[in-house]
């Protein structure tokens, strides 16, 4: 029964998302958990090459092409102090703050609210000369998952974004070429052992993040321009986004 389902939960999901009744749910659940496993694999194997580094931020890519289009998978690792994984994921997911940190987007619309933790976005991206302008349509799902390797029971938070289709918003009608994307942000919170009777402060918190992304440009774009955009935009995004979250959180109570 529905009640039993809610009690036992479904798979690795702690509670059952309201999105579980939706036609996209099997795909959302499967891709999110696949992305979680993929994010947690190291970069030691699989031919990852380091292409950008800044303090504790490290970005790796694998050069890949599909039908002559660059689709280089990216994997980035970073350590951010003073914020939790829940906070990181909250600001990455929330449409309310998207335009405050996202610099590749010209226009953002939530076209469907599947549940509080699951939305469908349509985004029009900034145009890069000489290529056509791009847009993207994707579901975005946020979830807390238990970390079985962590005795202290610190959970992992994930946001997964994955392209989808919607008959009301067909691709390539008009000026934009639709990109397809699979992106995930996986965050783990570490807390320094608190001293007796002393409350945990932001100085005791460290967040380890992994960001993975594969974007297919959806139509021809010059490989050299694309790789140059990639090399500039991903480090810019991760630095700007993490600084934004630190700044937003600093005077707020900790959201564990
Ligand atoms: O993950 C990020 N943001 C999320 C919320 O917005 C979401 C979005 C993913 C963006 C996918 C990229 C879409 C293509 C955009 C076109 C490029 C615009 C650049 C404008 C520069 C001023 O998951 C953070 C995203 C971080 C930045 C991503 C850069 C990706 C570059 C890939 C290029 C592929 C498109 C090719 C366009 C033609 C270029 C010659």
């Amino acid at each position: 029964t529905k009640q039993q389902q809610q009690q036992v939960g479904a798979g690795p999901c702690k509670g059952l998302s309201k999105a579980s009744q939706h036609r996209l749910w099997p795909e959302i659940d499967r891709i999110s958990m696949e992305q979680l496993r993929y994010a947690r694999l190291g970069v030691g194997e699989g031919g990852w090459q380091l292409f950008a580094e800044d303090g504790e931020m490290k970005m790796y890519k694998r050069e890949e092409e599909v039908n002559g289009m660059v689709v280089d998978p990216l994997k980035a690792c970073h350590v951010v102090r003073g914020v939790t994984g829940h906070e990181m994921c909250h600001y990455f997911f929330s449409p309310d703050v998207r335009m405050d940190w996202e610099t590749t987007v010209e226009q953002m619309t939530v076209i469907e609210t599947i549940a509080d933790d699951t939305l469908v976005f349509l985004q029009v991206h900034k145009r890069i000369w000489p290529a056509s302008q791009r847009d993207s349509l994707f579901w975005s799902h946020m979830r807390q998952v238990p970390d079985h390797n962590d005795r202290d029971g610190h959970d992992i938070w994930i946001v997964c974004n994955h392209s989808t289709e919607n008959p009301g918003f067909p691709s390539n009608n008009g000026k934009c070429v639709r990109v397809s994307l699979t992106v995930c942000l996986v965050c783990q919170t570490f807390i320094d052992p608190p001293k007796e009777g002393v409350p945990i402060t932001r100085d005791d918190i460290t967040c380890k993040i992994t960001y993975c992304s594969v974007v297919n440009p959806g139509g021809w774009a010059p490989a050299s321009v694309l790789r140059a955009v990639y090399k500039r935009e991903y480090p810019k995004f991760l630095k700007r986004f993490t600084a934004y979250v630190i700044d937003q959180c600093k005077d707020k109570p900790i959201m564990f």
Side-chain angles (χ1 to χ4, degrees):
T1 66
K2 211 169 165 184
Q3 199 182 4
Q4 278 168 330
Q5 272 183 331
Q6 271 160 354
Q7 277 162 5
V8 294
C13 182
K14 266 196 148 178
L16 201 54
S17 168
K18 283 212 185 70
S20 64
Q21 306 297 319
H22 195 273
R23 66 177 175 90
L24 284 173
W25 179 250
E27 177 186 288
I28 294 171
D29 189 46
R30 177 177 54 85
I31 305 249
S32 300
M33 291 304 99
E34 266 172 30
Q35 286 297 306
L36 175 63
R37 285 190 292 276
Y38 173 69
R40 301 196 79 194
L41 295 174
V43 283
E45 282 155 74
W48 292 102
Q49 33 171 308
L50 186 69
F51 77 94
E53 199 173 355
D54 191 333
E56 284 176 283
M57 182 186 86
K58 288 187 170 62
M59 291 200 157
Y60 305 84
K61 68 165 176 176
R62 259 183 358 233
E63 295 204 343
E64 280 182 20
E65 286 175 31
V66 173
N67 304 326
M69 287 187 291
V70 173
V71 293
D72 301 355
L74 168 124
K75 190 168 203 161
C77 307
H78 200 5
V79 179
V80 184
R81 275 163 242 286
V83 298
T84 67
H86 187 189
E87 289 168 331
M88 274 284 167
C89 284
H90 166 77
Y91 288 100
F92 188 69
F93 174 78
S94 173
D96 302 345
V97 300
R98 177 71 43 87
M99 301 308 267
D100 294 348
W101 58 264
E102 174 59 275
T103 58
T104 75
V105 174
E106 198 170 278
Q107 196 188 314
M108 179 218 71
T109 316
V110 175
I111 62 159
E112 190 180 353
T113 301
I114 298 177
D116 289 349
D117 58 9
T118 313
L119 303 171
V120 181
F121 288 92
L122 177 62
Q123 294 191 153
V124 178
H125 294 273
K126 290 179 186 162
R127 180 174 176 238
I128 306 168
W129 186 89
S132 312
Q133 190 162 28
R134 260 56 180 181
D135 68 4
S136 57
L137 195 155
F138 58 93
W139 53 255
S140 182
H141 175 62
M142 175 162 90
R143 170 188 303 196
Q144 182 183 26
V145 282
D147 179 1
H148 300 297
N149 301 327
D150 185 347
R151 285 179 295 121
D152 301 327
H154 296 131
D155 287 333
I156 295 173
W157 282 85
I158 176 171
V159 176
C160 184
N161 296 342
H162 181 73
S163 283
T164 188
E165 284 170 20
N166 184 304
F169 303 89
S171 61
N172 305 346
N173 85 331
K175 56 174 182 169
C176 282
V177 171
R178 185 147 303 164
V179 301
S180 70
L181 61 92
T182 303
V183 169
C184 75
L185 176 72
V186 172
C187 302
Q188 226 177 339
T189 313
F190 294 86
I191 303 172
D192 290 343
K195 291 156 214 84
E196 276 281 320
V198 181
I200 295 165
T201 71
R202 293 203 174 269
D203 295 337
D204 308 317
I205 305 174
T206 305
C207 182
K208 288 195 181 163
I209 72 179
T210 306
Y211 173 85
C212 302
S213 167
V214 182
V215 179
N216 184 317
W220 185 82
S224 58
V225 177
L226 223 149
R227 289 206 165 104
V229 170
Y230 207 89
K231 205 172 167 176
R232 182 187 69 214
E233 294 301 321
Y234 280 112
K236 182 174 155 193
F237 146 65
L238 204 57
K239 282 193 265 181
R240 186 178 156 93
F241 173 69
T242 52
Y244 174 78
V245 177
I246 291 170
D247 187 57
Q248 289 298 304
C249 290
K250 64 178 193 292
D251 300 319
K252 295 194 176 79
I254 303 166
M255 182 164 75
F256 287 103

